[in-house]
Amino acid sequence: MSRGEPSHAGQERASDAEYGLREACGVFGCVATDSWPTDLDVAHIVHLGLIGLQHRGQESAGIVTSTGDNRQRFSSKKYMGLVNSFTEEDLKKLRGNLGIGHTRYSTQGDSDLVNVQPFVVETLHGLIAVAHNGELVNAAKLKTKLLLHGVGLSTGSDSELVTQLLTHQPDCGEPNGANWIGRIQKMMSEAPLSYSLLILIVDRIYAIRDPFGNRPLVLGKVLPTTIPLSGGKSLKNGGDNDGWVVSSESCSLHAVGAVYYREVLPGEIVEISREGIKSKCIVPRPEAKLPAFCIFEYVYFARPDSIMEGQMVHSVRQRCGRRLALECPVDVDLVSCVPESACPAAMEYASTLGLPYREVLCKNRYVGRTFIQPSMRLRQLGVAKKFGPLTDNFRNKRIVLVDDSIVRGNTMAAIVRLLKNFGAKEVHIRVASPPLRYPCYMGINIPTREELIANNMSIAEIAEFIGAESVAYLSIEGLVEAVQEGIEKKEEHGHCTACLSGQYPVNPDW
């Protein structure tokens, strides 16, 4: 991700964040198996994989491919904008036997082509390409170290820091040639989190998660077209497959003809080549701490059909709604939600309390990013542009509106005002996650503490500010229990709740 001015200083991103939180980016890679040159259209597969991850970033997209036989030449194409900016002609020119891609949302810094990933740099052993999801908590220290070593930095991105660290030889000095595992281990020892990385090196891809497993990363198996896709199978390494893919989320696998294989483990370095996948090593966490997987992947960021920690995100959101109903019931006529990530929680909230569920807002899915508007009238019309009221469903009714989170409260205030202007008798707000009180330093665009409404107002004051009859949140304990209920080996899993509790896995250095 990009690092420059603090996240609240960018007016475009500040305005965009009023509609919710934003993930930093998504990564996707593909390696064809067996004989090369391959019949597998790697560039198209990476492109389709990125489309499946478009919700993780909409500012820019890039693809880098390799034929696997020339360490001095990669094919690359990058665009500002959505993944569908790529043309058929672009993808033809990107033909190769393996490739990686990246789709980006910058939480900090400038939105420029120079910051578009994957980054490609030349090393002593040839070119490498790097795609990064996350944010380095010790970026300032690493930047100073690189500058003191005479390394020039050009993008203002901590993803560039990762790339430059990989150009450094490991302590062994590489007497027997390239030691990429040693280089990666050295980088991981200097950067504890947060990252999921794809590194393209001539004829293979390395897939890496930081030792805390803060950001998601999964492996998939590309099946021949003669084999039907189905979930839940235990797949062996090798066998009947045309290739391997790696993705920020499993939701993108089905669209490329792949099936879920497994997660990349926290701290794991996985090598993906034409021969298959190999787990090279696992870098341990400091002080034997538990993993710190971002709990907001379940709440908001991930697509509901993704599988994380062995469970479907949609099911976790349903359990959040059930627990929210038990913790925060209310006497109303109907239940609804702010589309779309809160809908599973809202429906389960209604079912648990025996209340009818009705849609009260129609979302315009073709509204792009919103920017600071030049007049008060245009700012007030921002929500009206994104949501339309389904008045027949709620006129003269008492509504409980379920949302996944409240950041600044401006959007929720506008929604409550919209519903009441069109006839709602009462509007109660229930939030299927705890109050956001602290900023995130690990790749999520959460504003400063001063901008977070829950950090400055009591629950009663929040209700008054947004114009609702009442407001209530799911507890931290309730959220953690909803997440861990579907995990088999709970003692091996841990979750980062820093934005809710202020307890960070490691202390950031800025």
Side-chain angles (χ1 to χ4, degrees):
M1 61 164 288
S2 295
R3 181 179 307 284
E5 296 298 318
S7 59
H8 62 283
Q11 284 191 331
E12 298 92 341
R13 287 173 290 284
S15 177
D16 194 38
E18 290 179 5
Y19 288 107
L21 309 175
R22 287 295 184 271
E23 174 60 87
C25 51
V27 298
F28 193 92
C30 176
V31 179
T33 56
D34 299 327
S35 61
W36 288 358
T38 180
D39 291 331
L40 193 67
D41 196 335
V42 169
H44 273 87
I45 286 179
V46 174
H47 181 247
L48 288 173
L50 291 179
I51 289 175
L53 299 174
Q54 187 73 86
H55 59 287
R56 298 184 75 89
Q58 299 89 44
E59 280 193 355
S60 62
I63 297 175
V64 175
T65 59
S66 170
T67 57
D69 57 4
N70 185 346
R71 67 178 190 173
Q72 299 298 334
R73 188 178 184 279
F74 289 164
S75 297
S76 175
K77 188 67 178 179
K78 302 178 181 181
Y79 279 104
M80 297 302 301
L82 301 179
V83 179
N84 62 13
S85 300
F86 285 86
T87 66
E88 284 296 317
E89 190 62 29
D90 292 331
L91 297 176
K92 288 179 181 178
K93 293 178 180 179
L94 286 169
R95 288 192 64 86
N97 296 311
L98 66 165
I100 63 174
H102 186 275
T103 182
R104 174 176 178 264
Y105 177 86
S106 64
T107 58
Q108 299 176 9
D110 295 330
S111 179
D112 294 320
L113 193 61
V114 69
N115 284 317
V116 180
Q117 299 183 45
F119 290 137
V120 178
V121 297
E122 186 170 2
T123 74
L124 186 64
H125 306 291
L127 298 176
I128 65 170
V130 177
H132 169 216
N133 173 26
E135 180 176 359
L136 302 183
V137 295
N138 62 336
K141 178 181 177 181
L142 294 174
K143 181 177 180 179
T144 299
K145 177 181 177 178
L146 287 169
L147 293 174
L148 287 173
H149 280 76
V151 176
L153 301 172
S154 60
T155 67
S157 165
D158 57 1
S159 303
E160 185 187 14
L161 301 181
V162 172
T163 308
Q164 291 295 345
L165 287 171
L166 291 168
T167 67
H168 291 187
Q169 285 186 325
D171 296 334
C172 68
E174 300 181 314
N176 300 314
N179 179 5
W180 288 111
I181 301 301
R183 289 183 180 223
I184 295 169
Q185 288 175 317
K186 182 177 175 65
M187 181 276 298
M188 295 177 74
S189 70
E190 297 189 54
L193 57 74
S194 162
Y195 48 86
S196 284
L197 292 174
L198 298 185
I199 306 171
L200 172 61
I201 301 172
V202 189
D203 61 350
R204 63 202 60 215
I205 292 172
Y206 289 104
I208 303 111
R209 283 179 82 189
D210 68 63
F212 287 89
N214 186 252
R215 305 258 65 85
L217 196 62
V218 301
L219 298 166
K221 190 175 184 181
V222 182
L223 299 180
T225 55
T226 55
I227 298 179
L229 297 177
S230 61
K233 290 185 177 180
S234 177
L235 301 172
K236 295 181 179 180
N237 190 357
D240 293 328
N241 68 304
D242 288 339
W244 292 93
V245 290
V246 57
S247 174
S248 290
E249 291 185 41
S250 64
C251 62
S252 63
L253 302 182
H254 180 79
V256 302
V259 290
Y260 178 87
Y261 184 68
R262 69 171 177 87
E263 287 186 324
V264 178
L265 300 176
E268 187 177 20
I269 303 173
V270 176
E271 181 184 82
I272 311 170
S273 68
R274 64 197 295 183
E275 285 79 29
I277 63 171
K278 297 177 183 177
S279 179
K280 305 301 288 188
C281 71
I282 295 179
V283 175
R285 285 177 295 281
E287 304 171 8
K289 293 182 178 180
L290 281 173
F293 182 61
C294 175
I295 205 162
F296 253 78
E297 291 284 353
Y298 288 111
V299 173
Y300 180 84
F301 300 123
R303 238 174 63 174
D305 53 334
S306 284
I307 297 172
M308 294 180 170
E309 299 180 302
Q311 58 185 339
M312 190 161 282
V313 171
H314 184 271
S315 299
V316 174
R317 291 176 182 169
Q318 287 180 312
R319 293 197 293 270
C320 287
R322 187 182 315 137
R323 290 181 180 273
L324 181 65
L326 297 175
E327 291 184 12
C328 312
V330 62
D331 182 20
V332 293
D333 300 313
L334 63 92
V335 179
S336 192
C337 73
V338 179
E340 298 166 321
S341 54
C343 293
M347 287 187 277
E348 198 65 22
Y349 184 97
S351 176
T352 302
L353 295 179
L355 294 168
Y357 173 84
R358 299 284 187 273
E359 292 185 1
V360 299
L361 295 170
C362 179
K363 183 177 180 180
N364 181 358
R365 292 171 176 81
Y366 301 99
V367 174
R369 295 191 59 214
T370 50
F371 297 87
I372 290 290
Q373 299 292 345
S375 72
M376 177 62 72
R377 176 176 176 79
L378 290 177
R379 286 195 292 271
Q380 291 175 340
L381 290 174
V383 166
K385 181 174 70 173
K386 194 162 188 176
F387 298 109
L390 299 171
T391 52
D392 287 351
N393 285 350
F394 66 83
R395 188 180 288 112
N396 297 322
K397 298 291 180 67
R398 299 170 299 164
I399 304 169
V400 59
L401 195 66
V402 178
D403 203 0
D404 48 49
S405 59
I406 299 178
V407 184
R408 293 179 175 88
N410 298 329
T411 297
M412 183 57 74
I415 289 173
V416 171
R417 186 165 56 248
L418 176 72
L419 293 173
K420 288 190 173 183
N421 287 344
F422 280 87
K425 189 175 181 180
E426 294 179 5
V427 179
H428 301 261
I429 303 300
R430 295 295 180 267
V431 186
S433 66
L436 282 163
R437 302 186 189 277
Y438 303 90
C440 176
Y441 301 106
M442 289 159 284
I444 305 302
N445 184 29
I446 294 179
T448 61
R449 291 186 66 178
E450 292 74 22
E451 295 175 283
L452 294 169
I453 190 171
N455 195 50
N456 295 298
M457 298 183 186
S458 67
I459 300 300
E461 289 172 334
I462 293 173
E464 182 179 0
F465 176 81
I466 65 178
E469 272 62 36
S470 70
V471 172
Y473 293 82
L474 181 65
S475 66
I476 295 179
E477 295 76 17
L479 173 59
V480 172
E481 289 173 6
V483 169
Q484 293 190 344
E485 183 179 328
I487 298 175
E488 290 186 3
K489 297 181 179 180
K490 297 178 178 60
E491 67 280 0
E492 298 178 7
H493 294 263
H495 298 89
C496 179
T497 61
C499 58
L500 312 173
S501 65
Q503 298 175 358
Y504 297 92
V506 298
N507 293 322
D509 67 353
W510 65 85

